[in-house]
């Protein structure tokens, strides 16, 4: 556990780089009826909806407009009836936190520097009784969805040196992108899943002048919820481990509190939902638990990972994968004195096809939090949801970006039973294998991701703003891992709610998922599955499985075919 790990070489352009249930409320002491698979048994469960959902404090910049975040060991209580237990957190001056981190608001056109201090215990000190591959306690903060230089991105070792305990690093964010609900989390090699589970994550939205003209609910009527699933030991300490390829906790935690409640007025609200879970997908909806029977509050998706959708999309439920973020307007108008539970009906693991992914028990978490609607409003509701949210990065449609794009085919497949990996068109590869994804700087590429595994994977690319084109179902793969053309189904365009700028995509099993974007940040980062157990190597004894280097280079990618249009793309993806 405490032994040092040898650096693993990665070859880039020929140079070896060496790594520096139901809606019944559970009472105190009760436990889920079904045993939790994997390393953790059933958690002790307090009464749900007894604590208020905490807000995430906003960090204040210094006199230069910059910030300091300190990663440290904390003591946090996940429920008012439970004692504080060991966690990790990020603190900023005036915003101390023992679990998660404060919100940092950045603005388009205003560069920001964030100094990240590693105040974790010295290397060799075991902080948690988990099966972490090492106890080096290094950190590397990643601004997920940001368009910063690779050196400031939080790329895991051995591509970049990580910050040791007692050290610090200043990250520079140019903020040359449109308003978007970005988040940040620790991303150290093979330990990202552990550190995020233990608390090292937070919200870092970027804003711009256009965002303030939309008239969406704001101020006190805008809330952010980081949703996670956790398991706890009998002494209320965190339980976690990688004995299985994926980890699923048995209790919902929102902003660090188990199954909280949120008081709202009968008016419109903007909610930002961040899935900070290890492996769990959510299918969010609303179920009424109190008040006169009525239809569920209307939900309208207005933004995703990297910005606003051009046309707000009404939804009755919303699937959110690990790493994804969605901003939606929920209208409680006319729902005075009613109580509504934010429900979850996603199975575990998530099967991938949205139409199939429904489990009334929600994979043992069917209730996430409760909204208690008051009897009146404190002020007139002048907010609105415009028919169009024109931004600098959400027009034209994704299909129009295909005209100048080249097509790169990549894949996810199992190298062995339960050991998924990523690779290029021809083979699956390790993190340490030579880089194969090398987009030309300043050009546009469409990526066709072939998912030959049995699970859905949220695939995330660092340092690029992308748009989902759509998906094709594949009935059968040949012996070489290519789709059998006669078994490929019709093109399924991106749903309206996922049509905006994004960086993380749900890739269903037995499918080809295509996204497109322009590569404007040169250098080397990574692309990976955001099921954090997968990127950290849950089924391989700590070796990173579903993560690969990604280098934006100056060399033309002449080996890749031009896409031209959607019709030509359909022809290309059907080729073996």
């Amino acid at each position: 556990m405490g032994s040092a790990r040898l650096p693993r070489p990665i070859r880039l352009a020929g140079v070896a780089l060496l790594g520096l249930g139901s809606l019944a409320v559970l009472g105190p002491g009760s436990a889920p009826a079904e045993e939790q698979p994997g390393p953790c048994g059933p958690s002790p469960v307090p009464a749900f909806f007894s604590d208020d959902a905490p807000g995430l404090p906003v960090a204040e910049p210094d006199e230069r407009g910059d910030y300091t975040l300190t990663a440290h060991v904390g003591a946090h209580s996940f429920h008012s009836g439970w004692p504080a237990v060991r966690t990790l957190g990020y603190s900023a001056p005036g915003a101390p936190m023992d679990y998660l981190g404060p919100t940092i608001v950045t603005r388009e056109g205003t560069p920001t520097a964030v100094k990240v201090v590693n105040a974790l215990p010295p290397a060799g000190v075991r902080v948690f009784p988990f099966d972490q591959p090492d106890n080096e306690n290094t950190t590397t903060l990643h601004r997920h969805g940001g368009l910063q230089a690779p050196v400031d991105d939080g790329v895991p070792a051995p591509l970049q040196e990580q910050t040791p305990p007692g050290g610090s690093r200043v990250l520079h964010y140019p903020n040359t992108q449109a308003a978007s609900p970005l988040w940040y989390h620790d991303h150290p090699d093979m330990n990202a899943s552990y550190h995020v589970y233990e608390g090292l994550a937070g919200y870092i939205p970027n804003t711009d002048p256009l965002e303030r003209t939309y008239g969406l609910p704001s101020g006190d009527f805008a809330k952010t919820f980081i949703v996670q699933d956790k398991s706890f030991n009998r002494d209320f300490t965190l339980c976690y481990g990688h004995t299985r390829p994926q980890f699923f906790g048995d209790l919902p935690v929102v902003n660090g509190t188990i199954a909280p409640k949120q008081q709202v007025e009968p008016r419109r609200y903007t909610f930002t939902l961040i899935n900070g879970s290890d492996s769990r997908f959510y299918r969010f909806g609303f179920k009424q638990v109190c008040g006169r029977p009525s239809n569920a509050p209307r939900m309208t998706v207005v933004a995703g990972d990297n910005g606003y959708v051009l046309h707000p999309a009404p939804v009755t439920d919303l699937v959110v994968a690990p790493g994804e973020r969605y901003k939606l307007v929920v209208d409680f108008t006319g729902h005075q004195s009613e109580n509504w539970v934010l429900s979850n009906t996603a199975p575990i693991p998530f099967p991938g096809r949205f139409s199939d992914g429904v489990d009334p028990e929600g994979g043992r978490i069917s209730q996430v939090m409760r909204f208690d609607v008051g009897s009146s409003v404190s002020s007139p509701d002048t907010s609105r949801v415009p028919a169009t949210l024109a931004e600098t990065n959400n027009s034209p449609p994704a299909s129009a970006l295909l005209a100048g794009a080249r097509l790169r085919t990549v894949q996810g497949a199992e190298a062995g039973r339960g050991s998924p990996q990523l690779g290029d068109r021809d083979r699956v590869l390790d993190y340490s294998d030579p880089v194969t994804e090398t987009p030309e700087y300043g050009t546009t590429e469409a990526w066709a991701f072939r998912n030959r595994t049995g699970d859905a994977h949220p695939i995330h690319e660092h340092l690029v703003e992308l748009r989902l084109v759509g998906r094709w179902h594949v009935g059968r793969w040949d012996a070489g891992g290519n789709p059998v053309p006669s078994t490929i189904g019709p093109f399924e365009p991106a749903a309206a709610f996922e049509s905006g700028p994004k960086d993380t995509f749900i890739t269903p099993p037995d499918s080809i998922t295509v996204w497109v974007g322009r590569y404007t940040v040169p250098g080397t980062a990574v692309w990976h599955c955001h099921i954090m157990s997968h990127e950290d190597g849950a089924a391989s004894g700590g070796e990173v499985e579903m993560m690969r280097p990604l280098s934006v280079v100056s060399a033309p990618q002449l080996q890749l075919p031009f896409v031209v249009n959607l019709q030509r793309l359909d022809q290309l993806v059907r080729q073996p």
Side-chain angles (χ1 to χ4, degrees):
M1 283 276 192
S3 60
R5 179 175 79 237
L6 291 177
R8 294 175 294 131
I10 287 183
R11 289 207 157 266
L12 300 175
V15 178
L17 302 181
L18 291 178
L20 305 176
S22 69
L23 290 176
V25 175
L26 296 170
S30 60
E34 185 176 352
E35 288 287 319
Q36 169 70 22
C40 303
S43 300
V45 184
F48 278 22
F49 318 132
S50 58
D51 293 338
D52 291 328
L56 298 172
V58 177
E60 292 293 333
D62 62 21
E63 63 278 3
R64 300 182 304 276
D66 299 329
Y67 297 85
T68 297
L69 284 178
T70 300
H72 63 99
V73 176
H76 173 77
S77 174
F78 288 89
H79 190 275
S80 59
W82 287 15
V85 296
R86 178 169 289 190
T87 52
L88 300 184
Y90 290 109
S91 286
M97 296 189 71
D98 287 321
Y99 182 79
L100 299 178
T103 296
I104 294 177
V105 180
T106 62
R107 293 170 175 78
E108 183 187 27
T110 302
T112 302
V114 177
K115 181 180 180 180
V116 184
V117 178
N118 183 350
L120 299 184
V125 175
R126 189 182 188 191
V127 182
F128 293 89
F130 302 151
D131 57 351
Q132 292 184 210
D134 62 61
N135 296 309
E136 295 178 6
N137 299 329
T138 60
T139 62
T140 179
L141 186 141
H142 169 51
R143 186 172 74 147
H144 183 130
L147 300 181
Q148 53 276 336
V151 69
D152 299 307
D153 182 55
V155 177
L159 295 177
Q160 285 187 13
E161 186 175 0
Q162 297 171 173
T163 305
S168 65
R169 184 167 192 162
V170 178
L171 305 175
H172 299 274
Y173 302 142
N175 302 323
T176 54
Q177 59 192 106
S180 47
L182 311 180
W183 69 304
Y184 64 90
H185 60 82
D186 202 20
H187 210 316
D189 180 42
M190 295 194 282
N191 286 279
S193 61
Y194 297 92
H195 285 189
V196 173
Y197 187 83
E198 293 153 5
L200 293 184
Y203 184 40
I204 185 166
N206 194 53
T207 188
D208 66 14
L210 279 173
E211 184 176 42
R212 295 190 286 274
T213 69
Y214 296 147
L216 300 172
S218 59
D220 292 337
F221 310 109
K223 309 289 183 182
T224 298
F225 302 116
I226 299 178
V227 183
Q228 301 169 298
D229 57 337
K230 302 287 182 188
S231 285
F232 298 88
N233 299 306
R234 293 183 181 276
D235 62 358
F236 309 106
T237 56
L238 284 169
C239 183
Y240 180 67
H242 279 182
T243 61
R244 295 181 181 233
Q246 298 186 46
F247 175 89
F248 300 105
D250 57 10
L251 285 176
V253 173
V254 179
N255 292 356
T257 297
I258 296 171
K261 67 182 188 296
Q262 174 71 59
Q263 186 72 32
V264 294
E265 299 179 6
R267 63 190 301 153
R268 285 180 288 271
Y269 282 78
T270 300
F271 293 154
T272 300
L273 300 177
I274 301 171
N275 185 348
S277 298
D278 183 282
S279 306
R280 183 181 290 272
F281 290 61
Y282 297 90
R283 181 186 289 273
F284 292 119
F286 280 104
K287 290 185 179 180
Q288 189 174 9
V289 293
C290 183
R292 66 188 187 282
S294 63
N295 294 326
R298 292 190 300 273
M299 297 190 296
T300 305
V301 172
V302 295
D305 300 339
N306 282 103
Y308 285 89
V309 296
L310 183 61
H311 301 294
V315 294
T316 55
D317 56 24
L318 179 64
V319 176
V320 187
E324 283 191 303
R325 294 87 64 207
Y326 281 102
K327 184 174 291 190
L328 63 159
V329 173
V330 178
D331 193 351
F332 292 104
T333 303
H335 293 279
Q336 292 90 336
S337 304
E338 297 174 4
N339 291 350
W340 290 86
V341 163
L342 182 67
S343 63
N344 169 47
T345 56
I348 54 173
F350 191 73
R353 295 179 66 83
F354 295 155
S355 59
D356 299 334
V358 177
D359 171 17
E361 299 301 317
R364 292 183 297 277
I365 292 181
S366 61
Q367 309 172 91
V368 177
M369 63 184 298
R370 192 181 74 195
F371 292 91
D372 299 341
V373 188
S375 59
S376 61
V377 296
S378 57
S379 60
D381 186 359
T382 60
S383 68
R384 61 192 181 99
V385 180
T388 301
L389 296 172
E391 252 291 2
T392 57
N393 63 344
N394 64 8
S395 181
S399 58
L401 303 178
L402 299 174
R406 290 183 181 270
L407 181 66
R408 183 179 298 276
T409 300
V410 293
Q411 66 171 307
E414 291 189 0
R417 183 172 177 79
S419 297
Q421 290 180 288
L422 301 178
D424 61 11
R425 182 189 186 102
D426 301 319
R427 67 194 72 79
V428 293
L429 299 160
D430 295 325
Y431 182 39
S432 57
D433 285 326
V435 62
T436 51
E437 284 65 60
T438 54
E440 180 185 358
Y441 171 68
T443 66
T444 301
E445 284 193 3
W447 283 32
F449 183 85
R450 298 174 173 178
N451 185 355
R452 299 195 291 117
T453 76
D455 296 328
H457 298 278
I459 301 300
H460 168 50
E461 287 190 49
H462 285 216
L463 303 181
V464 60
E465 210 167 73
L466 302 159
R467 304 281 294 282
L468 178 63
V469 179
R471 304 175 177 91
W472 290 257
H473 178 66
V474 178
R476 186 160 58 89
W477 307 92
D478 66 21
N482 297 308
V484 176
S486 62
T487 71
I488 300 176
F491 170 64
E492 302 171 10
F497 76 89
E498 55 179 353
S499 64
K502 285 180 63 60
D503 56 58
T504 304
F505 301 93
I506 296 176
T507 65
D510 293 324
S511 70
I512 301 171
T513 302
V514 175
W515 53 84
V516 62
R518 187 167 180 264
Y519 290 80
T520 61
V521 180
T524 298
V526 291
W527 66 287
H528 60 86
C529 175
H530 219 282
I531 291 176
M532 302 197 78
S533 288
H534 286 175
E535 69 176 86
D536 273 359
S540 61
E543 285 298 319
V544 175
E545 294 170 283
M546 298 193 76
M547 185 154 63
R548 292 282 297 138
L550 165 63
S551 292
V552 178
V553 300
S554 59
Q557 301 297 290
L558 303 180
Q559 78 282 8
L560 304 178
F562 278 112
V563 178
V564 183
N565 54 36
L566 192 56
Q567 181 180 10
R568 170 66 171 159
L569 175 63
D570 187 75
Q571 295 171 352
L572 289 171
V573 300
R574 294 175 187 276
Q575 295 178 1

